């Protein structure tokens, strides 16, 4: 029996989008750690199965005397993705927190193991998935139950009995089966762009109506448990759609030089925002203090740590050591956080800068830039891929004010694979 690798890619996507957001074991206690384990199991089984299927296929071709198919060339995005994994591995190898760098902060688990699995999932999807609109419908549908639960929780109900006795779901930090309400918003940053895009481009009235209903549901949840970060990422999606429409209508040619200028300006502007926020502890909902603290941590790094970081997802361990060097700084930190641990810089890019260093964060940003440039140059007509690209843009923007989490970042790599792959459109 011939096994279809495209089906395997579909099964993997469905498992991640349906299982990871819903898996909870009936409690918020240690919920993200359980989700990390669930994601690792799904990903490892999918990749092992893919390897076995590929090996069997190669053996059968050899036995039949059939010439092997021409291998798909590595694209620049693929090379940069491999480089991103490579620098993360080197950073882990040189880290003073090797075990933590491999598995990540307990409850977050975004260390080297997760980075490797996310990157491999990108290669699986980009090389094997033949996507169509159905994958968008299914992904959007997968978010309905968590979103309904968010609304129900914020209205003061706990149908799954996940909250501790006496806790009021309407004011609790955790929502739905996702975990922290900020994580839910980051998860939705990968989902909402699909609905926005399909409402604008779908020709079928029923499809438009279904996505309008989905978007309305998401907006209700956002009103009850939303963050400004999600609003910013949605605005970025709308701006990207408007810009693309103007470009297509006026026949303006998007050159690599123009894209490079736009992306460089965005990076410089973001760095400027970080520096401005550092001047006031209360800016960006308290991120001003966190970023100022992170800047002090960077100044304390040696050359090796500046270039290669302290290890993926090891921010909190490096910060703890840094705080112990200055009792005044430690007292100020405890006054701000009441003895709680700070597990990230609340910016994915700042996290990468500290975790995998200047080399790592530059490779990551260049990878995203190369990916966007490649996508624009290919002039994609697939609705599936265009929607996925908007999800990529949304997550990139959201990551400026948030950090990698298992309920969103693996989905981001899936969207990279969908937008950057597809057998029908992938350049040879």
């Amino acid at each position: 029996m011939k096994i279809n690798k495209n089906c395997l890619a579909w099964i993997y996507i469905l498992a991640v989008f349906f299982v990871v957001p819903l898996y909870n074991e009936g409690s918020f206690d240690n919920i993200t750690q359980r989700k990390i384990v669930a994601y690792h199991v799904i990903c490892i089984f999918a990749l092992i199965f893919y390897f076995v299927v590929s090996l069997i296929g190669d053996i059968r071709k050899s036995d039949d005397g059939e010439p092997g198919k021409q291998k798909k060339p590595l694209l620049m995005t693929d090379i940069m993705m491999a480089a991103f994994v490579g620098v993360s591995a080197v950073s882990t190898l040189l880290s003073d927190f090797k075990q933590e760098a491999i598995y990540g902060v307990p409850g977050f688990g975004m260390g080297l193991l997760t980075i490797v699995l996310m990157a491999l999932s990108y290669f699986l999807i980009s090389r094997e998935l033949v996507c169509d609109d159905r994958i968008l419908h299914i992904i959007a549908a997968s978010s309905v139950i968590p979103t309904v639960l968010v609304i129900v929780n914020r209205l003061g109900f706990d149908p799954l009995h996940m909250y501790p006795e006496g806790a009021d779901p309407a004011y609790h930090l955790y929502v739905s089966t996702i975990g922290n309400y900020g994580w839910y918003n980051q998860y939705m940053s990968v989902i909402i762009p699909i609905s926005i895009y399909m409402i604008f481009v779908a020709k079928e009235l029923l499809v438009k109506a279904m996505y309008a209903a989905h978007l309305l549901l998401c907006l209700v949840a956002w009103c009850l448990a939303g963050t400004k970060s999600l609003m910013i990422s949605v605005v970025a999606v709308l701006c990207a759609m408007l810009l693309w429409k103007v470009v297509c209508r006026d026949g303006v040619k998007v050159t690599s030089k123009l894209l490079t200028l736009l992306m460089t300006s965005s990076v410089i502007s973001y760095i400027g925002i970080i520096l401005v926020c550092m001047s006031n502890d209360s800016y960006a909902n308290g991120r001003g203090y966190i970023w100022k603290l992170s800047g002090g941590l960077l100044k304390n790094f040696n050359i090796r740590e500046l270039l290669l970081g302290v290890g993926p997802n090891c921010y909190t361990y490096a910060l703890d050591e840094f705080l112990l060097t200055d009792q005044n700084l430690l007292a100020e930190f405890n006054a701000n956080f009441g003895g709680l641990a700070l597990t990230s810089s609340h910016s994915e890019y700042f996290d990468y800068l500290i975790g995998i260093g200047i080399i790592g964060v530059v490779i990551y940003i260049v990878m995203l830039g190369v990916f966007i440039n490649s996508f624009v140059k290919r002039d994609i007509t697939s609705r599936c891929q265009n929607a996925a690209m908007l999800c990529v843009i949304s997550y990139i923007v959201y990551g400026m004010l948030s950090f990698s989490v298992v309920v969103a970042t693996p989905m981001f790599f899936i969207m990279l694979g969908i937008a950057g792959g597809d057998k029908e459109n992938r350049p040879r």
Side-chain angles (χ1 to χ4, degrees):
M1 182 180 71
K2 186 176 180 180
I3 301 176
N4 193 326
K5 294 179 185 177
N6 175 47
C7 290
L8 176 60
W10 273 68
I11 292 169
Y12 167 75
I13 292 171
L14 298 184
V16 171
F17 273 96
F18 275 95
V19 175
V20 175
L22 288 175
Y23 183 64
N24 60 80
E25 293 186 12
S27 170
F28 284 125
D29 183 41
N30 209 25
I31 189 171
T32 48
Q33 186 61 37
R34 295 197 295 271
K35 289 182 183 296
I36 282 288
V37 173
Y39 173 69
H40 286 172
V41 170
I42 291 168
C43 207
I44 289 171
F45 268 99
L47 293 169
I48 289 175
F49 191 56
Y50 176 69
F51 173 77
V52 171
V53 169
S54 299
L55 185 62
I56 292 172
D58 289 342
I59 291 172
R60 284 180 177 174
K61 286 173 192 171
S62 177
D63 291 342
D64 295 340
E66 295 180 5
K69 291 184 180 179
Q70 184 179 0
K71 291 185 178 180
K72 298 171 186 174
L74 282 174
L75 306 180
M76 184 55 67
T77 304
D78 301 339
I79 294 171
M80 296 307 298
M81 181 72 75
F84 173 61
V85 172
V87 75
S88 298
V90 173
S91 176
T92 299
L93 186 63
L94 298 177
S95 175
D96 294 331
F97 320 101
K98 286 185 176 60
Q99 182 174 341
E100 293 84 355
I102 293 172
Y103 296 106
V105 179
F108 289 82
M110 302 304 292
L112 178 64
L113 175 58
T114 304
I115 289 174
V116 170
L117 292 176
M118 290 189 301
L120 289 175
S121 73
Y122 158 79
F123 284 106
L124 164 64
I125 294 166
S126 65
R127 289 178 169 266
E128 302 300 342
L129 180 72
V130 181
C131 66
D132 57 42
D133 289 356
R134 287 176 299 172
I135 199 74
L136 299 180
H137 305 336
I138 293 170
I139 289 173
S142 71
S143 67
V144 170
I145 293 177
T147 299
V148 168
L149 287 171
V150 165
I151 295 171
V152 170
N153 291 162
R154 279 297 186 254
L155 291 177
F157 302 99
D158 180 21
L160 298 182
H161 307 291
M162 294 184 66
Y163 294 92
E165 188 175 350
D168 188 347
Y171 303 102
H172 206 279
L173 183 65
Y174 286 73
V175 291
S176 180
T177 54
I178 298 287
N180 183 291
Y181 75 97
W183 305 339
Y184 168 75
N185 280 267
Q186 188 167 6
Y187 160 71
M188 291 310 296
S189 75
V190 189
I191 304 287
I192 286 179
I194 296 174
S195 291
I196 295 174
Y197 177 78
M198 292 301 286
I199 289 171
F200 278 98
V201 305
K203 295 180 174 62
E204 307 90 338
L205 184 59
L206 178 61
V207 172
K208 279 183 178 288
M210 290 179 63
Y211 277 104
H214 179 263
L215 183 59
L216 179 61
L217 185 72
C218 295
L219 289 176
V220 172
W222 180 78
C223 289
L224 294 172
T227 65
K228 293 178 181 177
S229 302
L230 181 58
M231 181 178 65
I232 293 170
S233 68
V234 168
V235 169
V237 167
L238 293 172
C239 289
M241 289 181 65
L242 179 62
L243 178 62
W244 191 252
K245 187 174 181 179
V246 169
V247 167
C248 291
R249 183 189 65 194
D250 295 342
V252 179
K253 186 175 181 181
V254 182
T255 64
S256 296
K257 187 180 291 186
L258 177 59
L259 276 174
T260 301
L261 179 63
L262 287 172
M263 287 184 282
T264 302
S265 300
S266 299
V267 171
I268 292 173
S269 299
Y270 179 58
I271 293 172
I273 292 170
I274 292 283
L275 294 175
V276 169
C277 288
M278 283 181 176
S279 66
N280 190 311
D281 290 356
S282 63
Y283 281 170
N285 196 26
R287 285 175 175 79
Y289 173 72
I290 297 173
W291 290 340
K292 182 179 72 174
L293 193 64
S294 302
L297 174 60
L298 278 174
K299 289 179 183 177
N300 197 52
F301 279 1
N302 56 40
I303 295 297
R304 189 262 298 171
E305 290 170 333
L306 279 174
L307 293 177
L308 292 167
V310 295
N313 206 198
C314 286
Y315 175 92
T316 189
Y317 307 109
L319 180 65
D320 287 347
E321 288 193 352
F322 172 59
L323 291 173
L324 291 175
T325 64
D326 188 331
Q327 291 303 310
N328 292 328
L329 195 63
L330 179 60
E332 181 187 43
F333 176 82
N334 288 331
N336 277 277
F337 287 92
L340 296 175
L342 180 61
T343 52
S344 83
S345 68
H346 284 68
S347 165
E348 188 169 76
Y349 308 98
F350 221 146
D351 271 2
Y352 281 141
L353 180 60
I354 292 168
I356 55 179
I358 294 173
I359 295 175
V361 77
V362 167
I363 288 175
Y364 182 70
I365 292 171
V366 170
M367 178 188 76
L368 297 178
V370 167
F371 178 84
I372 294 171
N373 180 62
S374 172
F375 185 89
V376 172
K377 290 250 177 150
R378 289 165 62 192
D379 192 24
I380 301 296
T381 58
S382 164
R383 295 198 305 194
C384 181
Q385 289 184 281
N386 284 328
M389 186 66 214
L390 288 175
C391 296
V392 168
I393 292 171
S394 179
Y395 180 91
I396 288 172
V397 173
Y398 198 100
M400 294 178 179
L401 297 169
S402 193
F403 46 90
S404 300
V405 291
V406 70
V407 292
T409 311
M411 285 73 164
F412 167 65
F413 277 80
I414 286 174
M415 291 303 179
L416 282 174
I418 293 174
D422 191 313
K423 288 185 176 181
E424 300 300 320
N425 291 286
R426 189 180 177 88
R428 301 300 183 204

